Amino acid sequence: MGTLYLCATPIGNLEDITLRVLRVLKEVDLIAAEDTRQTIKLLNHFHIKTPLTSYHEHNKFQKTPVLVKELLEGKEIALVTDAGTPAISDPGAELALAAYEAGVPVTSLPGASAVVTALTLSGLPTRNFAFEGFLPQESKERERVLKRLAETTYTTVFYEAPHRLRKTLEAVAEVLPGQRKIAVCHELTKKHESVLQCTLAEAAAYYRDNEPKGEFVFVVEGADALELERKEREKWNEVPLTDHMERYLSQGMGRNEAMRAVAKERGMTKNQVYKELLS
């Protein structure tokens, strides 16, 4: 039985490939590539002669069983995408799952990642972060996702194509507060790499006047936790205290426990809740 190797490749600078990935690409029987025309440039640069086959978004369901069959027959196969790590906003997850289900060994060879590179360059908090990838094209679905993100305190990383960057930044700035910080990372690891650090409103205005060209990853600051807590309290303060209590009592919660929950959500003490209920 062969092994499936998920190989990270450079996101721009060819020097970012690892020695381990180079060795595996030379030793495997077959390389499954998202775009063989793109991968052949990488292989030629490093004088690698391993046979190539295509594996991309439009043929993955037909090609997955073919590759799994070859793995079961003993072939060693490396999977690569145009840039970065397979399965991160790129094909790969389906093949890995199918290999696991067939009992085929799978291993991932780490390397370049646009998500981590942009996050560390952004100057924004990195303790907790979320990767959203490409936002939905459909406006209602995109708005639904952004409204959810408006309520998270995590730093969020997005991918976007240059021809859609303007529209996406405008959409993000409409839903999220315009003063939120953003880092727009351009051409990561390449000669003309740049990072635009500003607010959402400023980024949207900048790209209205400047044509986006090249590859983009942008990182957006999370919501302020204290501001979210204030908004939550304001929401509950509009609800009568007795109704707030009934919400928890109807769920089977004891009276003391319910008062503690209500106090926390309204920014009160338990004694204050108790006195108001008595009055």
Side-chain angles (χ1 to χ4, degrees):
M1 188 179 295
T3 297
L4 175 64
Y5 298 90
L6 307 176
C7 298
T9 53
I11 58 175
N13 194 319
L14 293 182
E15 293 179 2
D16 291 335
I17 199 163
T18 69
L19 294 175
R20 185 181 174 208
V21 168
L22 286 176
R23 176 182 60 78
V24 167
L25 292 180
K26 290 176 182 177
E27 293 179 354
V28 293
D29 301 298
L30 183 67
I31 297 172
E34 182 181 9
D35 186 339
T36 54
R37 297 165 301 179
Q38 186 72 18
T39 300
I40 197 66
K41 299 174 188 176
L42 176 72
L43 300 186
N44 287 341
H45 183 82
F46 291 106
H47 310 291
I48 297 171
K49 304 298 183 183
T50 307
L52 279 172
T53 188
S54 66
Y55 183 83
H56 49 73
E57 190 66 28
H58 304 294
N59 75 352
K60 62 185 179 182
F61 295 113
Q62 294 81 21
K63 207 65 177 282
T64 291
V66 175
L67 294 176
V68 170
K69 182 175 182 291
E70 293 184 319
L71 287 162
L72 289 169
E73 291 171 352
K75 274 193 177 181
E76 302 279 297
I77 298 177
L79 176 68
V80 298
T81 60
D82 289 352
T85 304
I88 305 298
S89 285
D90 278 319
E94 292 84 3
L95 181 57
L97 177 60
Y100 274 124
E101 290 176 342
V104 172
V106 180
T107 187
S108 182
L109 281 60
S113 166
V115 179
V116 175
T117 304
L119 183 67
T120 53
L121 271 178
S122 69
L124 296 171
T126 59
R127 185 174 182 272
N128 294 304
F129 70 93
F131 172 58
E132 190 61 38
F134 292 94
L135 282 168
Q137 295 285 308
E138 202 276 317
S139 58
K140 286 186 178 179
E141 179 64 14
R142 183 174 61 239
E143 185 178 0
R144 186 189 66 79
V145 171
L146 288 173
K147 283 182 177 179
R148 170 174 55 81
L149 292 175
E151 302 300 317
T152 180
T153 57
Y154 287 12
T155 300
T156 306
V157 184
F158 301 84
Y159 286 167
E160 194 48 281
H163 65 280
R164 291 198 301 264
L165 184 69
R166 283 175 171 168
K167 184 177 179 181
T168 297
L169 288 176
E170 295 281 0
V172 174
E174 283 178 10
V175 179
L176 274 62
Q179 71 272 21
R180 286 259 192 108
K181 293 177 183 177
I182 184 175
V184 184
C185 303
H186 172 243
E187 294 289 86
L188 287 172
T189 77
K190 299 177 185 177
K191 183 179 180 180
H192 299 293
E193 174 184 282
S194 65
V195 182
L196 175 65
Q197 294 170 308
C198 56
T199 66
L200 270 172
E202 289 168 343
Y206 177 85
Y207 282 105
R208 278 197 295 269
D209 300 329
N210 295 272
E211 182 74 23
K213 294 180 180 179
E215 300 295 327
F216 289 91
V217 182
F218 64 95
V219 188
V220 179
E221 177 184 34
D224 181 83
L226 293 177
E227 178 65 15
L228 287 180
E229 188 176 333
R230 183 187 64 78
K231 287 182 178 178
E232 183 70 13
R233 287 175 180 175
E234 286 179 353
K235 182 185 76 174
W236 281 115
N237 287 335
E238 295 174 2
V239 177
L241 192 63
T242 50
D243 291 351
H244 200 165
M245 277 290 293
E246 184 56 34
R247 177 174 182 266
Y248 289 112
L249 294 174
S250 64
Q251 296 172 8
M253 193 179 282
R255 191 169 181 80
N256 283 333
E257 190 181 358
M259 280 194 288
R260 278 194 295 270
V262 168
K264 182 179 179 181
E265 290 177 346
R266 298 176 85 97
M268 302 167 66
T269 67
K270 181 186 169 186
N271 282 339
Q272 286 173 324
V273 172
Y274 178 72
K275 288 176 181 178
E276 283 203 27
L277 287 171
L278 283 179
S279 64

